[in-house]
Amino acid sequence: MIKLNDGFQQLPKTYLFSMAARKIAAFRQSNPGIDVIRMDIGDVTLPLFQNVGQAIIEGTKAMETDQGFRGYGPEQGYELLRSAIAREDYRERGINISDDEIFVSDGAKSDLANLGNLFSRHCRVAVPDPSYPVYVDDNAIQERAGDYKDGRWSRLIYLNGDPANDFIPSLPDEEHTPDLILMCFPNNPTGMSISKEELSKWVEYARRKNALIIYDSAYEAYVRTPGRVRSIYEVDGAREVAIEVRSFSKTAGFTGVRCGYTVVPKDLKGRYSDGEEASLHDLWTRRQCTMFNGASYFSQRAALALYTKEGGEAIAAATNHYLGNARIIKESLEKAGLQAWGGVDSPYVWTRFPGEDDSWEIFRRCLEDCHVSTTPGVGFGNNGRGFLRFTGFNTRENTEMAMHNIIAYYTQQHS
Ligand code: MLT
């Protein structure tokens, strides 16, 4: 029989969002008359921006002609798009990133997993708890996580987030020095953003310890609070220690279109086991050329349309809409006396119900009694036990209805 990748053996059998989706589908099937308001996976609900749709149509029309037809594109993305990204997302904001440090992809989730190909399986990896489950699962599949017991992996270094530190983890202690650090701000799932001062501590730490940070900034377009960071490269010295991963999914409604990008600065270096030094930019280029044929022409045409006046205005309107929903969620929870985090620079709101520590049971009650689907906090790590995550990705009307149901239920249970 074929020998299997042992990395899968101890992995929980079902991915968090698939498990939640299954439970929601089962409830819907046995209750066909009930409309469930979806606040679980962070999937956008507004339609594609008009100029994005138009760009896809024009791309299709061009592909139907002899002159406009394109086959394989550059594995790193079309020059025009890489240049627009580097210029508008970085250089015009005072950050030194060159066009060829941008690698266009089909989204952040695949890049986060694929980046693991660059690193030895002996690297010690630090992951926040709670965190987007992909960080942990990818490292388990790539055999960096060790053994799984009671919700934790023996070789991972957990960076604890909790109400006491407002879900901004402290630096690892001296006994646990990571080679690789995964970070995400604005954070999924807690919705918390980070200040430049706080993030500078991590950059300084990574420089001191020769560690590499993989910074997931998929939600940067939601930052509204002055002084809160959108890119890790706002911090001096980050070019030498950080890769940044971004996505157009939540920024511009691309969850179905599929396009994102990763920034790999040329300053980043690593070492092979024999001591030879190599550039991560070279390795990532090599990896992508072998394993990736580039994001589709259509999705790149669509992404390019975002770097126009119309595109910029549509991004602001869409993210403001979702942030408006997040504010309603947060304020409703707080009005009912519950603690809530996030929802200011993020579409996610993180909460807990006092005295409850079974996230799946709270998920079940929200679904069955309030007809609202959420994501159980424990799916993001042990520190998420008893917590729930709501998303602002819905209509205003559905958001208000969902919060009305949840608060009425909660008040009745606790009166
Ligand atoms: C989430 O809900 O955390 C994300 O939408 C999932 C994803 O981006 O894969």
Side-chain angles (χ1 to χ4, degrees), residues 318-339:
T319 50
N320 280 340
H321 166 76
Y322 295 131
L323 280 170
N325 291 344
R327 194 184 57 241
I328 290 169
I329 298 167
K330 185 175 164 73
E331 285 175 1
S332 309
L333 294 168
E334 285 174 346
K335 224 153 96 190
L338 293 162
Q339 264 183 302

PDB file of all heavy atoms in Angstrom, residues 318-339:
ATOM      1  N   ALA A 318     -17.923  49.133   0.412  1.00  0.00           N
ATOM      2  CA  ALA A 318     -18.205  47.749   0.847  1.00  0.00           C
ATOM      3  C   ALA A 318     -17.681  47.513   2.262  1.00  0.00           C
ATOM      4  O   ALA A 318     -18.397  46.970   3.126  1.00  0.00           O
ATOM      5  CB  ALA A 318     -17.565  46.759  -0.124  1.00  0.00           C
ATOM      6  N   THR A 319     -16.442  47.935   2.517  1.00  0.00           N
ATOM      7  CA  THR A 319     -15.880  47.677   3.847  1.00  0.00           C
ATOM      8  C   THR A 319     -16.622  48.510   4.904  1.00  0.00           C
ATOM      9  O   THR A 319     -16.856  48.029   6.019  1.00  0.00           O
ATOM     10  CB  THR A 319     -14.357  47.933   3.885  1.00  0.00           C
ATOM     11  OG1 THR A 319     -14.085  49.229   3.328  1.00  0.00           O
ATOM     12  CG2 THR A 319     -13.599  46.894   3.089  1.00  0.00           C
ATOM     13  N   ASN A 320     -17.058  49.714   4.525  1.00  0.00           N
ATOM     14  CA  ASN A 320     -17.855  50.511   5.482  1.00  0.00           C
ATOM     15  C   ASN A 320     -19.173  49.814   5.800  1.00  0.00           C
ATOM     16  O   ASN A 320     -19.631  49.822   6.945  1.00  0.00           O
ATOM     17  CB  ASN A 320     -18.151  51.899   4.917  1.00  0.00           C
ATOM     18  CG  ASN A 320     -16.964  52.835   5.090  1.00  0.00           C
ATOM     19  OD1 ASN A 320     -16.093  52.588   5.915  1.00  0.00           O
ATOM     20  ND2 ASN A 320     -16.910  53.891   4.306  1.00  0.00           N
ATOM     21  N   HIS A 321     -19.769  49.214   4.781  1.00  0.00           N
ATOM     22  CA  HIS A 321     -21.028  48.492   5.012  1.00  0.00           C
ATOM     23  C   HIS A 321     -20.816  47.347   6.011  1.00  0.00           C
ATOM     24  O   HIS A 321     -21.551  47.223   6.999  1.00  0.00           O
ATOM     25  CB  HIS A 321     -21.570  47.948   3.685  1.00  0.00           C
ATOM     26  CG  HIS A 321     -22.658  46.940   3.872  1.00  0.00           C
ATOM     27  ND1 HIS A 321     -23.949  47.296   4.223  1.00  0.00           N
ATOM     28  CD2 HIS A 321     -22.645  45.578   3.810  1.00  0.00           C
ATOM     29  CE1 HIS A 321     -24.680  46.193   4.363  1.00  0.00           C
ATOM     30  NE2 HIS A 321     -23.912  45.140   4.112  1.00  0.00           N
ATOM     31  N   TYR A 322     -19.792  46.524   5.778  1.00  0.00           N
ATOM     32  CA  TYR A 322     -19.564  45.381   6.681  1.00  0.00           C
ATOM     33  C   TYR A 322     -19.162  45.858   8.083  1.00  0.00           C
ATOM     34  O   TYR A 322     -19.542  45.253   9.088  1.00  0.00           O
ATOM     35  CB  TYR A 322     -18.497  44.451   6.101  1.00  0.00           C
ATOM     36  CG  TYR A 322     -18.904  43.784   4.797  1.00  0.00           C
ATOM     37  CD1 TYR A 322     -18.052  43.780   3.693  1.00  0.00           C
ATOM     38  CD2 TYR A 322     -20.138  43.149   4.662  1.00  0.00           C
ATOM     39  CE1 TYR A 322     -18.413  43.161   2.499  1.00  0.00           C
ATOM     40  CE2 TYR A 322     -20.499  42.530   3.463  1.00  0.00           C
ATOM     41  CZ  TYR A 322     -19.633  42.545   2.383  1.00  0.00           C
ATOM     42  OH  TYR A 322     -19.994  41.934   1.212  1.00  0.00           O
ATOM     43  N   LEU A 323     -18.386  46.966   8.112  1.00  0.00           N
ATOM     44  CA  LEU A 323     -18.008  47.504   9.432  1.00  0.00           C
ATOM     45  C   LEU A 323     -19.241  48.023  10.176  1.00  0.00           C
ATOM     46  O   LEU A 323     -19.324  47.929  11.405  1.00  0.00           O
ATOM     47  CB  LEU A 323     -16.985  48.632   9.274  1.00  0.00           C
ATOM     48  CG  LEU A 323     -15.535  48.197   9.035  1.00  0.00           C
ATOM     49  CD1 LEU A 323     -14.668  49.398   8.663  1.00  0.00           C
ATOM     50  CD2 LEU A 323     -14.960  47.491  10.258  1.00  0.00           C
ATOM     51  N   GLY A 324     -20.197  48.586   9.410  1.00  0.00           N
ATOM     52  CA  GLY A 324     -21.445  49.059  10.034  1.00  0.00           C
ATOM     53  C   GLY A 324     -22.175  47.890  10.686  1.00  0.00           C
ATOM     54  O   GLY A 324     -22.706  48.003  11.808  1.00  0.00           O
ATOM     55  N   ASN A 325     -22.185  46.750  10.004  1.00  0.00           N
ATOM     56  CA  ASN A 325     -22.821  45.560  10.590  1.00  0.00           C
ATOM     57  C   ASN A 325     -22.069  45.103  11.840  1.00  0.00           C
ATOM     58  O   ASN A 325     -22.674  44.744  12.857  1.00  0.00           O
ATOM     59  CB  ASN A 325     -22.824  44.406   9.578  1.00  0.00           C
ATOM     60  CG  ASN A 325     -23.762  44.664   8.422  1.00  0.00           C
ATOM     61  OD1 ASN A 325     -24.623  45.553   8.502  1.00  0.00           O
ATOM     62  ND2 ASN A 325     -23.608  43.906   7.347  1.00  0.00           N
ATOM     63  N   ALA A 326     -20.737  45.119  11.731  1.00  0.00           N
ATOM     64  CA  ALA A 326     -19.929  44.678  12.879  1.00  0.00           C
ATOM     65  C   ALA A 326     -20.205  45.577  14.086  1.00  0.00           C
ATOM     66  O   ALA A 326     -20.291  45.103  15.233  1.00  0.00           O
ATOM     67  CB  ALA A 326     -18.449  44.694  12.513  1.00  0.00           C
ATOM     68  N   ARG A 327     -20.380  46.878  13.819  1.00  0.00           N
ATOM     69  CA  ARG A 327     -20.652  47.799  14.937  1.00  0.00           C
ATOM     70  C   ARG A 327     -21.992  47.446  15.593  1.00  0.00           C
ATOM     71  O   ARG A 327     -22.120  47.430  16.823  1.00  0.00           O
ATOM     72  CB  ARG A 327     -20.644  49.245  14.435  1.00  0.00           C
ATOM     73  CG  ARG A 327     -20.568  50.245  15.575  1.00  0.00           C
ATOM     74  CD  ARG A 327     -20.655  51.693  15.122  1.00  0.00           C
ATOM     75  NE  ARG A 327     -21.884  51.925  14.374  1.00  0.00           N
ATOM     76  CZ  ARG A 327     -21.928  52.327  13.107  1.00  0.00           C
ATOM     77  NH1 ARG A 327     -20.821  52.544  12.427  1.00  0.00           N
ATOM     78  NH2 ARG A 327     -23.088  52.516  12.504  1.00  0.00           N
ATOM     79  N   ILE A 328     -22.981  47.128  14.764  1.00  0.00           N
ATOM     80  CA  ILE A 328     -24.300  46.752  15.313  1.00  0.00           C
ATOM     81  C   ILE A 328     -24.180  45.491  16.183  1.00  0.00           C
ATOM     82  O   ILE A 328     -24.746  45.397  17.274  1.00  0.00           O
ATOM     83  CB  ILE A 328     -25.315  46.537  14.161  1.00  0.00           C
ATOM     84  CG1 ILE A 328     -25.637  47.889  13.526  1.00  0.00           C
ATOM     85  CG2 ILE A 328     -26.570  45.807  14.630  1.00  0.00           C
ATOM     86  CD1 ILE A 328     -26.411  47.801  12.232  1.00  0.00           C
ATOM     87  N   ILE A 329     -23.403  44.539  15.696  1.00  0.00           N
ATOM     88  CA  ILE A 329     -23.227  43.284  16.457  1.00  0.00           C
ATOM     89  C   ILE A 329     -22.580  43.589  17.809  1.00  0.00           C
ATOM     90  O   ILE A 329     -23.067  43.175  18.865  1.00  0.00           O
ATOM     91  CB  ILE A 329     -22.346  42.286  15.656  1.00  0.00           C
ATOM     92  CG1 ILE A 329     -23.026  41.908  14.344  1.00  0.00           C
ATOM     93  CG2 ILE A 329     -22.026  41.051  16.493  1.00  0.00           C
ATOM     94  CD1 ILE A 329     -22.121  41.180  13.351  1.00  0.00           C
ATOM     95  N   LYS A 330     -21.502  44.346  17.738  1.00  0.00           N
ATOM     96  CA  LYS A 330     -20.749  44.638  18.973  1.00  0.00           C
ATOM     97  C   LYS A 330     -21.627  45.425  19.953  1.00  0.00           C
ATOM     98  O   LYS A 330     -21.717  45.082  21.144  1.00  0.00           O
ATOM     99  CB  LYS A 330     -19.502  45.442  18.592  1.00  0.00           C
ATOM    100  CG  LYS A 330     -18.547  45.724  19.740  1.00  0.00           C
ATOM    101  CD  LYS A 330     -17.309  46.406  19.159  1.00  0.00           C
ATOM    102  CE  LYS A 330     -16.455  47.086  20.189  1.00  0.00           C
ATOM    103  NZ  LYS A 330     -15.713  46.171  21.023  1.00  0.00           N
ATOM    104  N   GLU A 331     -22.297  46.460  19.442  1.00  0.00           N
ATOM    105  CA  GLU A 331     -23.107  47.294  20.346  1.00  0.00           C
ATOM    106  C   GLU A 331     -24.281  46.506  20.922  1.00  0.00           C
ATOM    107  O   GLU A 331     -24.634  46.677  22.091  1.00  0.00           O
ATOM    108  CB  GLU A 331     -23.603  48.537  19.595  1.00  0.00           C
ATOM    109  CG  GLU A 331     -22.473  49.543  19.401  1.00  0.00           C
ATOM    110  CD  GLU A 331     -22.871  50.762  18.552  1.00  0.00           C
ATOM    111  OE1 GLU A 331     -24.041  50.857  18.118  1.00  0.00           O
ATOM    112  OE2 GLU A 331     -21.985  51.597  18.317  1.00  0.00           O
ATOM    113  N   SER A 332     -24.875  45.639  20.120  1.00  0.00           N
ATOM    114  CA  SER A 332     -26.004  44.847  20.630  1.00  0.00           C
ATOM    115  C   SER A 332     -25.543  43.928  21.752  1.00  0.00           C
ATOM    116  O   SER A 332     -26.208  43.802  22.788  1.00  0.00           O
ATOM    117  CB  SER A 332     -26.613  43.980  19.524  1.00  0.00           C
ATOM    118  OG  SER A 332     -26.900  44.738  18.402  1.00  0.00           O
ATOM    119  N   LEU A 333     -24.387  43.299  21.547  1.00  0.00           N
ATOM    120  CA  LEU A 333     -23.877  42.380  22.578  1.00  0.00           C
ATOM    121  C   LEU A 333     -23.559  43.153  23.852  1.00  0.00           C
ATOM    122  O   LEU A 333     -23.905  42.732  24.969  1.00  0.00           O
ATOM    123  CB  LEU A 333     -22.629  41.650  22.070  1.00  0.00           C
ATOM    124  CG  LEU A 333     -22.846  40.688  20.892  1.00  0.00           C
ATOM    125  CD1 LEU A 333     -21.511  40.256  20.277  1.00  0.00           C
ATOM    126  CD2 LEU A 333     -23.632  39.447  21.329  1.00  0.00           C
ATOM    127  N   GLU A 334     -22.941  44.312  23.677  1.00  0.00           N
ATOM    128  CA  GLU A 334     -22.551  45.092  24.853  1.00  0.00           C
ATOM    129  C   GLU A 334     -23.782  45.617  25.589  1.00  0.00           C
ATOM    130  O   GLU A 334     -23.805  45.655  26.821  1.00  0.00           O
ATOM    131  CB  GLU A 334     -21.613  46.229  24.431  1.00  0.00           C
ATOM    132  CG  GLU A 334     -20.224  45.678  24.110  1.00  0.00           C
ATOM    133  CD  GLU A 334     -19.246  46.691  23.538  1.00  0.00           C
ATOM    134  OE1 GLU A 334     -19.682  47.785  23.132  1.00  0.00           O
ATOM    135  OE2 GLU A 334     -18.051  46.377  23.469  1.00  0.00           O
ATOM    136  N   LYS A 335     -24.797  46.000  24.814  1.00  0.00           N
ATOM    137  CA  LYS A 335     -26.024  46.495  25.447  1.00  0.00           C
ATOM    138  C   LYS A 335     -26.677  45.413  26.299  1.00  0.00           C
ATOM    139  O   LYS A 335     -27.284  45.679  27.329  1.00  0.00           O
ATOM    140  CB  LYS A 335     -27.001  46.957  24.364  1.00  0.00           C
ATOM    141  CG  LYS A 335     -27.630  48.286  24.730  1.00  0.00           C
ATOM    142  CD  LYS A 335     -28.051  49.107  23.599  1.00  0.00           C
ATOM    143  CE  LYS A 335     -29.526  48.935  23.269  1.00  0.00           C
ATOM    144  NZ  LYS A 335     -29.842  49.583  22.007  1.00  0.00           N
ATOM    145  N   ALA A 336     -26.494  44.164  25.869  1.00  0.00           N
ATOM    146  CA  ALA A 336     -27.062  43.057  26.641  1.00  0.00           C
ATOM    147  C   ALA A 336     -26.151  42.657  27.804  1.00  0.00           C
ATOM    148  O   ALA A 336     -26.405  41.674  28.495  1.00  0.00           O
ATOM    149  CB  ALA A 336     -27.292  41.862  25.721  1.00  0.00           C
ATOM    150  N   GLY A 337     -25.057  43.400  27.980  1.00  0.00           N
ATOM    151  CA  GLY A 337     -24.176  43.138  29.123  1.00  0.00           C
ATOM    152  C   GLY A 337     -23.057  42.162  28.819  1.00  0.00           C
ATOM    153  O   GLY A 337     -22.360  41.717  29.724  1.00  0.00           O
ATOM    154  N   LEU A 338     -22.880  41.817  27.537  1.00  0.00           N
ATOM    155  CA  LEU A 338     -21.825  40.870  27.189  1.00  0.00           C
ATOM    156  C   LEU A 338     -20.558  41.615  26.788  1.00  0.00           C
ATOM    157  O   LEU A 338     -20.622  42.739  26.297  1.00  0.00           O
ATOM    158  CB  LEU A 338     -22.272  40.007  26.004  1.00  0.00           C
ATOM    159  CG  LEU A 338     -23.434  39.069  26.330  1.00  0.00           C
ATOM    160  CD1 LEU A 338     -24.110  38.581  25.069  1.00  0.00           C
ATOM    161  CD2 LEU A 338     -22.926  37.892  27.134  1.00  0.00           C
ATOM    162  N   GLN A 339     -19.426  40.952  26.979  1.00  0.00           N
ATOM    163  CA  GLN A 339     -18.165  41.540  26.528  1.00  0.00           C
ATOM    164  C   GLN A 339     -17.985  41.211  25.053  1.00  0.00           C
ATOM    165  O   GLN A 339     -18.295  40.081  24.624  1.00  0.00           O
ATOM    166  CB  GLN A 339     -17.008  40.903  27.283  1.00  0.00           C
ATOM    167  CG  GLN A 339     -16.548  41.691  28.489  1.00  0.00           C
ATOM    168  CD  GLN A 339     -15.361  40.998  29.117  1.00  0.00           C
ATOM    169  OE1 GLN A 339     -15.458  39.840  29.497  1.00  0.00           O
ATOM    170  NE2 GLN A 339     -14.255  41.714  29.220  1.00  0.00           N
TER     171      GLN A 339
END
